[in-house]
Amino acid sequence: MSEIERALREVDANLDTAVADLLELISIPSVSGEDAGKAGIARAATWLDDALTAIGFSSRVVETACNPVVLARSEGAKEGGKRLLFYGHYDVQPVAPREAWTHDPFAPEIVEEDGARRFYGRGASDSKSQLWSFIEALRAWKAANGAFPAEIVIVLEGEEEMGSPSLGAFLEQHGEELHCDVAFICDSDMWSPTRPSITTQLKGLVHETVTINAPNPDLHSGHYGAAAANPIRILSKILSSLHDEKGRVAIDGFYDDVADLTESQRTRWRELSNELDASGGVSLAGGVIEDGYTAIEAMWGRPAVDFNGITGGNQGPGGRSVLPGSATARLTFRLVAGQSPETVRNRFRNFVSGRVPDGCSVEFEGPEGNAAVHLSESNPFLVAAARGLEAEWGRPAVLKGTGGAIPVVGALNDGLGLDCVVLGFILESDAIHAPDEHYDVERLHRGTRSWIRIFGEIRGGSAS
Amino acid sequence: MSEIERALREVDANLDTAVADLLELISIPSVSGEDAGKAGIARAATWLDDALTAIGFSSRVVETACNPVVLARSEGAKEGGKRLLFYGHYDVQPVAPREAWTHDPFAPEIVEEDGARRFYGRGASDSKSQLWSFIEALRAWKAANGAFPAEIVIVLEGEEEMGSPSLGAFLEQHGEELHCDVAFICDSDMWSPTRPSITTQLKGLVHETVTINAPNPDLHSGHYGAAAANPIRILSKILSSLHDEKGRVAIDGFYDDVADLTESQRTRWRELSNELDASGGVSLAGGVIEDGYTAIEAMWGRPAVDFNGITGGNQGPGGRSVLPGSATARLTFRLVAGQSPETVRNRFRNFVSGRVPDGCSVEFEGPEGNAAVHLSESNPFLVAAARGLEAEWGRPAVLKGTGGAIPVVGALNDGLGLDCVVLGFILESDAIHAPDEHYDVERLHRGTRSWIRIFGEIRGGSAS
């Protein structure tokens, strides 16, 4: 019997115990971003630290300026052996609105439903089942084969749901310990309930806040509306000039550094469009897809600017005759490979500044941006992961892109120079971040088995 | 000695008493729109009711759904005599921020300052000195000449500063008693400290709230921003298309019913532009004046649409990757003579509806609008008022327009068919609605004398 077969048997045999342990972890209310969650955060970190220690890791709870990181390492590295980092997060979203839940968010139990063995709870899907899948796989591999499949570093974060404020400092302080050949980020979703996926392209991100100020404070719009500068009018005109009639960003030079999609990529993505609507139930009616591209191409592979918020003057209810002294818009640029966040930011600011009338002024604000991250499709760990997933699920993994940021990927990539293989077993229907979040036993089981097959591929397959 | 001369002597002789009484009225904190002001409202209404009774009126306090109206009538009408309505309001703005006042807002006293005898207090200018000027003039005329100058109806409102919620119902219930030949509205300002004015053109007003809804609720903008409909983007585009490059409103037919300004009007208004900046210290840099018009022409005589408020998605602080499900703008149309509020509203709604992409929807909301009010410059009471003001101040009264609404004018005009002569003695520098609101003895004196001269003109002059 091969290493892989032995480990798969161990996973199968231990399923009930793995589920019971996971439900215990989900029952700990480790909500980040709320003072009330602090005790749950501490309990979950300790619980995981104990669990990792029990299966043979050298584990500890590392305090940060905010929530602790659980950092575990396998002992006894072999010279020249591979070193793999696994990332997960144990913090969860707040439950509000509590009254919209039909299940207790922190008392999970198995429910037979729609032919599945489901469990409901905050964090059931995002992301406690995800981190538990690789921990249980590592445990089973060692139990079956006497050692971990490689040298392992595990990083379990406690503030992912609040924007990872301490992650950068943590990586900086512990960079030496975290040095690995690759990082596996287990916090993303499947392409469909029957087809796995790996995210190989993440767009870059630049947040900008732009405020137009009139030369006057708020005025009576009846008196001055027909004559004085109106920041809402100026801002609307600027925002509406940011796209041309083809849906392209109209900022000079915006596409200068953008490599167009390759034909092979377009061909593969168009096949996906046929297979399943990439919008996941979201209506794209009235949408803004750039001329000449499909929805998937626009969402995964084309740079964009989105308007996230706008505010100025009377916020209602009802009418008020105010000519506001200022108006503000919040927007985000989503970048693709080749684009520099700073260059995009500067071009945007020049674009806006050149359209502000004399006598009015503009203010900009925005945190440091980050560039797009692309993982080469020939990366050996990516190839191993794709093979392992295909072996478990019987269908090739979709190699996909995303317009959403995964902060840890940028941080590991920029900060430690680590390639990241981003995968996970979440489904759109799991109601993550929403009431009645849930997951099911089968996906925990098959997710764990997927890791076993990936370990096998890394040890004996293309990554060896 | 003429009636006028006798009455002017009485005004001069009684000045100290008139000022003392006015300061007592200002000391009553009759703040509307705040629960804490209710007792002051009641006291001020009773105080005025007593004062009007004392000088020979048949006065009473009329309760409404909100704050009471003081309604007074002179007894003994002569058949065929003139009947004049005087309107003022005794409620005042809140004082907040109290700490910004250097004087007690409700303990006025005479201060010698900059060569003037000033008194500070909330309501000193807006509008207790205004209503006191015509009450004192009516008292003096009767004291000097044995009878009021005509049959008189006085309406003193207690909720002007909160939008006059009960005024319409009051006028409807008491229309018979209020039947008059003309209404004098004493709540407006002078053209300059040395030149009186009468407001003869008031723009109409249509408030509109427009909400663009995407087919989806809030989405993750990273995932869907490059493809799904963005209500902020749709709304910005619609707002920016509401004006053409000449600053004209781009709605089909918007100007169809608009009579252009006459050459004589333009000539007179251009002379005013030369005399004094109509913007009252407000900067018009970066402004929106329609091509081919001056600021005064745009503000007083040209229809306009103003953007008063906009809101949607992330209101900050900071960035958030949200693609909002909806965005809302609040705007007002300011109409000139000839334009129907309903027609303008319908044209606007058609304009917007035709620009909402398929799959998105739009909602509109807005209270009933009102049309512009123009007083003919040959109206005999206007002519009498202009002559009386010129006699007192030694300079012709400016006949001006305003883009701001004066609700009582629309209500009296629409509801009772009453022509309104709108004048007053407020100055921009009085700090109305602001901390350290003030007025001065000389303007109370000359304002009161102005009314005496207007009474004289009505009795013997062009209005006879």
Side-chain angles (χ1 to χ4, degrees), chain A residues 216 283 308 311 315 321 334, chain B residues 216 283 311 314-315 321 334:
Chain A
N216 311 290
S283 167
N308 309 118
T311 189
Q315 301 296 291
S321 295
R334 299 285 170 171
Chain B
N216 311 290
S283 167
T311 189
N314 178 21
Q315 302 295 291
S321 295
R334 299 285 170 171

Side-chain angles (χ1 to χ4, degrees), chain A residues 232-245:
Chain A
I232 297 175
R233 186 160 154 186
I234 296 165
L235 187 60
S236 299
K237 194 167 173 188
I238 290 171
L239 293 186
S240 70
S241 66
L242 270 169
H243 292 95
D244 67 16
E245 70 288 351

